[in-house]
Amino acid sequence: MRLLSARPDFSEAGVSQDGIMAAGYRDALLRLIRRRVRDASVSEDIAQDTYVRYLGREGPPAEEGWALIRTIALNLIRDHFRAGARRSFEPIDEEHPADGHTPESAVMLRERVEWFSRAVEAMPPLQRDVFIRRRLHGQSAKEAAAELGITPAAVDAHVARALVALQKGRGRSGRGGR
């Protein structure tokens, strides 16, 4: 006499007992995932991955099927959000990138650029030329010195004086670098 188990044996039909049990939880699983993810296609993907992991695990059929399915789904949801946090977003529109600037920050930036331009224009001609070559064009002190007919030490001195003048001007105007 054969004892009946708590679960019917569908192995002859090619369906695992875990597969039959998991199918009964599909609606509850989708509700659980959709409440947290709020995207139908992502919810379907996570539900599918949940079943793949549940059915692909090693060992005997799980006695507490829903608890295991729920745990797997919650871990996959957590992984989904972690991966989303690591993703970088690129602007869709090349002409109008989503750079996060507000109109106020754009005005402040424009004011800083105008202040900087006025401050550089107010420098003595040689100091301005040296500063622009070194700081804006990235020339080395040796290259700038050779082109201007001065020593590299004089180039460094002109840059230092230009930076001091910019710092003093920024302190007076209350703008510039802030």
Side-chain angles (χ1 to χ4, degrees):
M1 177 172 185
R2 187 170 160 233
L3 294 173
L4 294 176
S5 66
R7 296 183 189 180
D9 184 14
F10 291 99
S11 58
E12 293 175 11
V15 178
S16 73
Q17 292 179 17
D18 281 336
I20 297 297
M21 182 175 48
Y25 295 125
R26 180 167 174 70
D27 291 338
L29 178 64
L30 282 171
R31 279 193 307 276
L32 170 83
I33 297 169
R34 283 187 182 137
R35 275 196 316 265
R36 287 167 172 78
V37 176
R38 300 192 189 278
D39 182 330
S41 66
V42 173
S43 296
E44 290 287 338
D45 290 344
I46 291 175
Q48 182 69 31
D49 290 344
T50 300
Y51 284 126
V52 167
R53 287 192 184 184
Y54 177 75
L55 297 173
R57 77 189 191 298
E58 297 291 323
E63 291 299 320
E64 55 286 322
W66 171 245
L68 182 57
I69 290 171
R70 184 177 185 277
T71 301
I72 293 170
L74 291 174
N75 287 337
L76 288 170
I77 290 168
R78 200 171 296 119
D79 292 347
H80 166 75
F81 285 114
R82 281 185 189 146
R86 287 190 300 260
R87 265 185 234 121
S88 64
F89 296 99
E90 300 203 12
I92 295 172
D93 185 357
E94 297 282 331
E95 282 185 41
H96 304 92
D99 54 9
H101 288 293
T102 62
E104 294 83 13
S105 66
V107 168
M108 289 173 56
L109 179 63
R110 190 174 330 115
E111 288 175 354
R112 281 189 226 144
V113 169
E114 289 170 0
W115 171 85
F116 181 78
S117 295
R118 286 192 305 272
V120 170
E121 286 299 317
M123 293 177 185
L126 182 59
Q127 184 180 7
R128 178 178 53 239
D129 195 18
V130 169
F131 179 77
I132 290 172
R133 287 172 185 267
R134 289 282 288 134
R135 292 299 176 128
L136 301 180
H137 296 160
Q139 281 187 337
S140 69
K142 201 180 242 185
E143 292 171 334
E147 289 181 17
L148 295 171
I150 58 176
T151 66
V155 168
D156 290 338
H158 282 295
V159 170
R161 282 193 292 268
L163 291 173
V164 167
L166 287 172
Q167 188 65 34
K168 284 181 182 177
R170 188 173 97 185
R172 278 193 301 261
S173 72
R175 294 190 184 155
R178 292 190 184 125

